[in-house]
Amino acid sequence: EYVMRRRHHYTEAVDVYVEDHGTVFVITPISRPAQEWVDENVQMADWQRVGKHAFAADHRPGQVLLEAICEHGFHVRLSRAGR
């Protein structure tokens, strides 16, 4: 596990938790600002929802989304599932 923040600086604060399952990311906005940002900026189908706030994304568009999240100043913790 590690925490990403713009340009791979590391920090303890976490706004978004990401589980990397290889071809799929499960993204969970934790902080209220991160939840609001996702609600306003991310379009997804109902089947992508995992629980109340988390959602699944293919790794290709998911990587672009994570870069945008970091560029907006949110702290991301990435966990590689099964590793």
Side-chain angles (χ1 to χ4, degrees), residues 13-83:
V14 177
D15 294 301
V16 180
Y17 182 73
V18 179
E19 294 176 63
D20 179 353
H21 292 271
T23 60
V24 174
F25 290 132
V26 176
I27 302 169
T28 307
I30 297 170
S31 69
R32 181 174 299 276
Q35 289 173 6
E36 291 171 355
W37 188 90
V38 167
D39 289 343
E40 294 171 7
N41 295 284
V42 179
Q43 295 179 356
M44 69 188 83
D46 288 340
W47 60 265
Q48 289 179 275
R49 296 239 176 240
V50 180
K52 186 174 181 178
H53 297 290
F55 61 96
D58 179 87
H59 72 280
R60 289 177 208 96
Q63 184 64 42
V64 173
L65 175 59
L66 292 178
E67 290 172 9
I69 289 170
C70 289
E71 286 175 6
H72 279 84
F74 295 110
H75 301 129
V76 176
R77 172 166 285 159
L78 177 64
S79 174
R80 290 187 166 82
R83 296 179 190 164

